[in-house]
Amino acid sequence: MKNKNWVNLFIAVLLYIPVGFLQVHIDYRRKLEDLEARLMLMPGQVAGSLVLSGFRGVAADLLWLNIEELWHQGHTYKLLPMFESVAWLQPRYITVWAVGGWHMAYNIYASTQDQKEKKYWYEQGAAFLKKGIAYNPEQYDLYFELGWTYYNKGEDFANAVKYLEKAVKFPCPDYVKSLLAHAYENNDQVDKAVEQWTRVLNTGFESVAKRALKVIREEGAFTPTRRRRLGMGMED
Amino acid sequence: MGKMWVIATNTFREALRKKTLYILLVVALVAIGTSRFFSFLAAQDELKMIKDVSFATIEFFGAILAIFTAMGGVSGEIEKKTIYTLLAKPITRKNFIIGKFLGQSMVILLNAILISLFFIGLLISKKAVPDMEIYKSLLLIYIELLMIGAISLAVATFATDAFNIILSFFLFITGNLSVYFKQVIERTENIIFKGLGYMLYNIIPNYENFNIRDQVVVGVNVSWQYVGQTILYGVMYIVIAVLVGIYFFQKREV
């Protein structure tokens, strides 16, 4: 009986070998499918992780509630580390990147009169969105947000085209495709704009595309040169 | 199998008679219910919060239930001296441990199903029909809870209740921090510490394997291959824990 009992322990120890191999496979798949939690070796973060254990999602939610509160109280700058923290806890949570980038490039940008500072926050917003793209490269959302920021806030149409072209490679709403056509026009790429508007004809933006194509044929595209000639800014 | 089944059903009935299951169930349902208070947020954010809070609640309260059911299953029988009657019958110690494990698995399953139904109902009430990823995450949480229960049962065969609680929760925390531990090992230059570190990494139950909820709540899909491998890992770990439990219970003087 005593000898037989050793068999139980022996099998248990022996089973650790396939468990070890399986763990290697699981680690590989976690990396492959981007399931790994991102923990950096900073003292505060390690302590935080210890307390949070497996409940990072709930921690991210509590921080998000703080963001909401600070937002309504008008604490523009206090929000920044909160965005970073939520993004660190749940880097696949697209909203935090999108809202964080927009907050820097639009809200903080508008809160200052200093042109240098404006430029700084516009760049910070774009950089935050790019960081978000690095974590979420397989979805249109952040490419669109960055493309829109370049298009609308920076009037940097070359970069807007670059990121909107990436956005439309993934399943996305029709307005993204339509914005790309606008960006082509503003970037002086009229042929590409016509091609893109033709593609937009098959979407919910059909009437907009028809009108745009008609204007391009009859009056010319809204290139920067034509806009200047017509005395039109971006808000037109 | 018949004898094991008798032990299993008795363990299940005994757990239903105790108040622990119901108290944990009510607290868990209240915790999930409070996530409805986030209705001031955008619909998408509110749904994310409901999912985060619900997954965390199912796991945390499930873990408490698993540990206490496993612990009470062995020490309770010894304290009440009912174990003498049981072992005097033609029931082997092996049957007793496996039966106890099956019984506690049913209790954990019942608890997980009831809380999950409430969670799914909450999602449906928000017009968000749960997709397959939600069920994958729930399945992995259930296997994780079985693993926690099996380890606690194994510890209960040779240690006191106090030690069991401390060790089980310690393993729960360290098992969820395995990614951090692995990063430390990867940066260690000393080859001996590196080797020991990897050995420890493989011995400590890796509960982080079962954590796909952080990704699922933000819409990331997880392959069935990963889910399958993780279930296999859990099952193998459960077998190890039950075998260790049998070994120590055979040696124990009752």
Side-chain angles (χ1 to χ4, degrees), chain B:
Chain B
M1 188 65 197
K3 289 166 194 165
M4 283 180 212
W5 188 243
V6 171
I7 302 277
T9 48
N10 272 324
T11 308
F12 182 65
R13 277 196 219 113
E14 178 70 19
L16 291 187
R17 271 197 293 272
K18 284 181 185 168
K19 290 189 185 85
T20 326
L21 173 68
Y22 302 107
I23 293 168
L24 286 175
L25 199 60
V26 169
V27 175
L29 294 183
V30 169
I32 292 178
T34 54
S35 57
R36 278 205 73 146
F37 293 141
F38 302 132
S39 54
F40 58 88
L41 295 167
Q44 203 187 341
D45 295 334
E46 189 196 359
L47 268 180
K48 181 187 170 289
M49 287 205 185
I50 290 175
K51 288 177 191 171
D52 273 329
V53 172
S54 302
F55 282 137
T57 306
I58 294 168
E59 186 186 345
F60 184 69
F61 289 102
I64 294 177
L65 182 72
I67 292 168
F68 281 89
T69 312
M71 210 172 64
V74 178
S75 63
E77 298 276 9
I78 293 171
E79 266 173 37
K80 284 188 278 175
K81 308 209 186 311
T82 42
I83 197 153
Y84 300 112
T85 334
L86 279 172
L87 296 179
K89 289 178 181 175
I91 291 174
T92 62
R93 293 183 180 216
K94 187 175 162 185
N95 286 342
F96 179 79
I97 293 294
I98 298 175
K100 280 284 169 195
F101 173 72
L102 293 176
Q104 73 185 43
S105 304
M106 289 195 281
V107 179
I108 298 168
L109 181 65
L110 177 73
N111 178 65
I113 287 177
L114 290 176
I115 306 180
S116 301
L117 283 177
F118 185 73
F119 164 47
I120 289 164
L122 202 60
L123 287 181
I124 292 170
S125 76
K126 290 276 167 192
K127 294 185 176 66
V129 180
D131 56 11
M132 189 48 81
E133 302 307 309
I134 298 275
Y135 295 109
K136 281 179 191 170
S137 189
L138 288 172
L139 178 64
L140 288 188
I141 290 175
Y142 176 63
I143 303 291
E144 180 188 354
L145 296 179
L146 289 187
M147 211 169 127
I148 293 169
I151 291 168
S152 190
L153 181 70
V155 178
T157 58
F158 63 86
T160 60
D161 284 355
F163 179 80
N164 197 347
I165 293 173
I166 294 166
L167 184 67
S168 298
F169 277 104
F170 172 76
L171 288 177
F172 182 68
I173 293 169
T174 49
N176 270 300
L177 290 172
S178 55
V179 183
Y180 168 66
F181 185 53
K182 194 172 156 241
Q183 284 186 7
V184 174
I185 302 166
E186 279 166 359
R187 285 160 199 231
T188 306
E189 286 175 5
N190 186 313
I191 195 117
I192 297 168
F193 282 114
K194 208 178 182 102
L196 284 172
Y198 272 118
M199 209 167 84
L200 207 60
Y201 174 70
N202 283 312
I203 290 173
I204 291 174
N206 195 333
Y207 296 132
E208 181 66 16
N209 287 344
F210 300 88
N211 183 0
I212 57 168
R213 59 181 185 272
D214 284 350
Q215 281 72 25
V216 164
V217 295
V218 291
V220 177
N221 291 341
V222 180
S223 70
W224 275 110
Q225 194 179 349
Y226 178 80
V227 175
Q229 280 179 353
T230 309
I231 290 174
L232 185 63
Y233 173 88
V235 170
M236 284 169 88
Y237 219 103
I238 288 166
V239 173
I240 291 174
V242 171
L243 285 171
V244 170
I246 292 171
Y247 171 78
F248 281 107
F249 199 58
Q250 301 266 32
K251 287 185 79 168
R252 185 167 179 161
E253 300 227 346
V254 186

Side-chain angles (χ1 to χ4, degrees), chain A residues 182-202:
Chain A
H182 281 297
Y184 278 137
E185 279 193 57
N186 280 291
N187 199 39
D188 243 341
Q189 293 173 273
V190 182
D191 291 346
K192 284 204 166 185
V194 171
E195 265 175 45
Q196 184 61 21
W197 278 125
T198 312
R199 275 186 217 114
V200 176
L201 281 174
N202 304 318

Side-chain angles (χ1 to χ4, degrees), chain A residues 23 45 86 114 117 131 153 166 179-180 221 236:
Chain A
Q23 186 59 53
Q45 290 171 338
V86 178
D114 186 331
E117 220 177 305
K131 204 165 147 191
K153 182 55 73 179
K166 286 181 184 173
L179 183 65
L180 176 60
D236 304 312

Side-chain angles (χ1 to χ4, degrees), chain A residues 223-232:
Chain A
T223 57
T225 325
R226 180 154 178 249
R227 278 185 175 276
R228 268 196 300 276
R229 207 171 56 232
L230 293 170
M232 291 166 83

